[in-house]
Amino acid sequence: MEHIVLVAETGSDIPKETAREYGIYLVPMHVSFGEESKPDGTFPSEDICSYYEKTGNLPKTSGSMPEDFEKIFTKIHEEHPNSQILYLAYSAVTTCSYQSALIAAENLDYVTALDTKHVSAGQYAVVVTMAKLLREHPEWSMETAKQKAEAIAKSVRMCFVPDTLEFLRAGGRVSNAVALCGKLLKLHPRIEILDGYLQATKKYRGSMAKVVPQLVKSYIEEQNLDRKELWLIWAPGLDQEIQANAEAAARECGVQKIHWVKTGGVITTHGGPGAFGIVGMVL
């Protein structure tokens, strides 16, 4: 019977402890602070915010390189020579990681790749849910496991709202005028992950204290999310009272289990400090 090992990028924001618990291997994405490049996951995401405050420059992110995947694939094959690898990728349209993995796995018949079309906690939900299912079903073939992973990925829904548009402006994703209007009018775009792309679909107005509980309730209802399990995303700087109110709003909707996911270096660079997000699966 073949043993299936899961691989994902650090951009999934899966904590190292969780990865160890489920035997998930994480391939580093990268963040550049000026001339210095660091593997994502090797520094606290608060460093992103402090670097921008000190320099006025936003760090730059990049995907995993072929050599990053080669190291992990080789490590897994040495430790589990009879295993098969299922790589559940960070959205392929947002980074070079997926293509890098295909290059690294070109002559490896024990590697199967799947674009989850998700980022951050969305990818987290897909990967960890699959890890749990593989424990329950060690008899699954790679073909069955891939089909299950595809179904899970299609059922996952994710959105987030930034506290400020400053990081989006600094990264060239919105104009100075839009960022200024957003600040003056207290506008927070709801950014959803749709077919792998990050798209603004709605705007909320007011403080994050007001917006976050409203978002939790509306998104759960609109998407008809499964109340058994929910992932809530927080970026450095999100007030603890807002987190408590978000959890209370989810409980009011009947959510039974809540997982809090802290943004890592990659998504913090894009969403900025104080951002909040929600991930669930459709019923």
Side-chain angles (χ1 to χ4, degrees):
M1 184 185 299
E2 62 185 18
H3 173 60
I4 297 175
V5 178
L6 297 181
V7 170
E9 297 91 342
T10 53
S12 62
D13 293 335
I14 298 173
K16 292 179 181 179
E17 309 78 52
T18 303
R20 281 195 294 268
E21 179 184 354
Y22 291 104
I24 300 164
Y25 286 74
L26 298 177
V27 181
M29 297 176 81
H30 304 275
V31 181
S32 297
F33 298 82
E35 297 298 317
E36 183 182 12
S37 179
K38 296 182 179 181
D40 182 33
T42 62
F43 58 89
S45 49
E46 285 83 358
D47 287 1
I48 301 290
C49 308
S50 59
Y51 180 82
Y52 181 73
E53 289 175 2
K54 291 177 182 177
T55 67
N57 296 318
L58 192 64
K60 296 183 179 180
T61 63
S62 58
S64 307
M65 297 292 101
E67 52 266 31
D68 295 318
F69 283 100
E70 288 171 4
K71 289 179 182 177
I72 295 297
F73 291 162
T74 299
K75 179 180 175 65
I76 294 172
H77 195 55
E78 290 176 348
E79 295 177 350
H80 309 280
N82 297 318
S83 69
Q84 291 284 311
I85 296 172
L86 178 56
Y87 161 52
L88 299 176
Y90 194 97
S91 173
V93 298
T94 66
T95 177
C96 66
S97 293
Y98 186 71
Q99 189 60 37
S100 292
L102 296 184
I103 293 171
E106 188 173 2
N107 297 312
L108 306 180
D109 60 2
Y110 53 85
V111 178
T112 299
L114 171 67
D115 178 8
T116 67
K117 299 185 178 182
H118 287 289
V119 305
S120 185
Q123 184 187 12
Y124 179 125
V126 176
V127 176
V128 174
T129 299
M130 268 305 298
K132 293 177 180 178
L133 286 174
L134 286 172
R135 281 191 172 180
E136 296 173 6
H137 300 279
E139 77 283 359
W140 279 357
S141 66
M142 177 58 78
E143 181 180 358
T144 298
K146 185 179 180 182
Q147 290 175 351
K148 295 293 183 180
E150 287 176 333
I152 292 169
K154 288 178 180 178
S155 74
V156 169
R157 299 290 184 273
M158 173 181 168
C159 76
F160 71 92
V161 289
D163 179 29
T164 171
L165 298 180
E166 183 62 21
F167 273 43
L168 292 172
R169 181 205 62 77
R173 294 174 179 82
V174 300
S175 67
N176 289 339
V178 169
L180 179 60
C181 288
K183 183 176 182 180
L184 293 174
L185 300 176
K186 293 185 178 180
L187 294 177
H188 305 273
R190 183 173 88 183
I191 301 173
E192 293 188 61
I193 315 304
L194 301 174
D195 199 30
Y197 292 91
L198 280 68
Q199 300 183 30
T201 59
K202 189 175 181 178
K203 290 180 181 178
Y204 292 87
R205 185 171 181 177
S207 67
M208 287 292 280
K210 173 186 176 183
V211 168
V212 167
Q214 181 183 353
L215 171 67
V216 170
K217 292 180 179 180
S218 63
Y219 199 67
I220 289 174
E221 293 296 331
E222 287 174 20
Q223 301 296 323
N224 191 27
L225 298 181
D226 189 344
R227 269 67 163 181
K228 291 180 182 177
E229 194 168 24
L230 199 70
W231 292 261
L232 298 180
I233 309 164
W234 68 283
L238 183 67
D239 190 272
Q240 289 187 349
E241 185 175 351
I242 294 176
Q243 294 184 48
N245 290 338
E247 187 161 334
R251 298 293 185 193
E252 287 179 22
C253 293
V255 175
Q256 299 171 26
K257 183 181 290 186
I258 295 172
H259 307 278
W260 279 98
V261 181
K262 182 184 180 183
T263 60
V266 172
I267 203 68
T268 300
T269 302
H270 300 307
F276 171 82
I278 178 172
V279 174
M281 296 185 186
V282 296
L283 290 168

